[in-house]
C-alpha cells in the first residue's frame, strides 16, 4: 500500500507526516541538546525559550515555525535527525498587549544569525507590522 492508496484510512495516509512533525517539534524543544543548555546555564544565561517565558505573560506564547531546521533523511525518506533553526519566533502578550517576539537560540550554532534562514526573520517582521 502506498500513500496514494484511496482505500487507506486518513490516519495511515498522514501517519508519516505527523510522525515527522512530532520529531521536528521535539528536536526544536531540545534546542542544541542538554550539554549546550547546561553551558548556557553555567554561564548564568537563559535559553531562548526561557528568556521568552520570562518576558511574556504566563501562557501567552504561541510559537511560529517550530518545525524549521535542517533535516536528514534515510534511504526510505524518513527523518533521522534535525538541527533546529537557531531563532525562535512567535506571538505573546506583555501586560496584556500582544507583541511579536524573536530570540536567538545560542544552543544551536551559537545563535549565529548567518546560519538561519532569513525568511523566518522576515516573516516575523512582516507579522509584527500587520
Amino acid at each position: 500500500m502506498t500513500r496514494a492508496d484511496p482505500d487507506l484510512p486518513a490516519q495511515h495516509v498522514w501517519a508519516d507526516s505527523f510522525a515527522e512533525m512530532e520529531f521536528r517539534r521535539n528536536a526544536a524543544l531540545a534546542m542544541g541538546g542538554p550539554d549546550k543548555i547546561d553551558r548556557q546555564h553555567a554561564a548564568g544565561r537563559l535559553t531562548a525559550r526561557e528568556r521568552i517565558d520570562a518576558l511574556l505573560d504566563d501562557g501567552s506564547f504561541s510559537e511560529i515555525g517550530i518545525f524549521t531546521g535542517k533535516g536528514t533523511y534515510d534511504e526510505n525518506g524518513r527523518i533521522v535527525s534535525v538541527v533546529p533553526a537557531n531563532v525562535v519566533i512567535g506571538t505573546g502578550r506583555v501586560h496584556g498587549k500582544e507583541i511579536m517576539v524573536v530570540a536567538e537560540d545560542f544552543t544551536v550554532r551559537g545563535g549565529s544569525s548567518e546560519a538561519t534562514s532569513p525568511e523566518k526573520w522576515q516573516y516575523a517582521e512582516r507579522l509584527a507590522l500587520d
Side-chain angles (χ1 to χ4, degrees):
M1 290 194 260
T2 68
R3 287 181 190 242
D5 187 338
D7 296 324
L8 276 179
Q11 68 265 25
H12 291 296
V13 173
W14 291 99
D16 289 346
S17 295
F18 290 146
E20 180 169 340
M21 288 189 300
E22 185 64 16
F23 189 91
R24 283 181 171 275
R25 180 183 176 281
N26 289 335
L29 293 175
M31 297 179 281
D35 57 327
K36 303 281 180 63
I37 293 170
D38 289 346
R39 185 180 332 171
Q40 283 290 104
H41 291 161
R45 295 185 297 248
L46 300 174
T47 67
R49 287 184 178 82
E50 290 168 339
R51 293 191 312 273
I52 289 170
D53 286 343
L55 172 68
L56 299 178
D57 296 348
D58 288 342
S60 70
F61 183 56
S62 180
E63 188 165 347
I64 299 168
I66 196 168
F67 301 137
T68 58
K70 180 168 177 42
T72 304
Y73 297 82
D74 67 14
E75 63 278 355
N76 297 313
R78 290 193 180 93
I79 195 154
V80 294
S81 68
V82 174
V83 175
N86 57 349
V87 63
V88 178
I89 70 170
T91 60
R93 296 190 178 280
V94 173
H95 301 298
K97 181 173 176 73
E98 188 171 23
I99 67 164
M100 183 77 209
V101 64
V102 177
E104 291 189 44
D105 181 359
F106 295 101
T107 70
V108 178
R109 289 175 265 169
S112 170
S113 55
E114 291 81 31
T116 191
S117 172
E119 289 86 6
K120 196 166 182 180
W121 283 98
Q122 292 164 359
Y123 179 81
E125 290 173 4
R126 284 192 307 272
L127 186 60
L129 288 171
D130 288 344

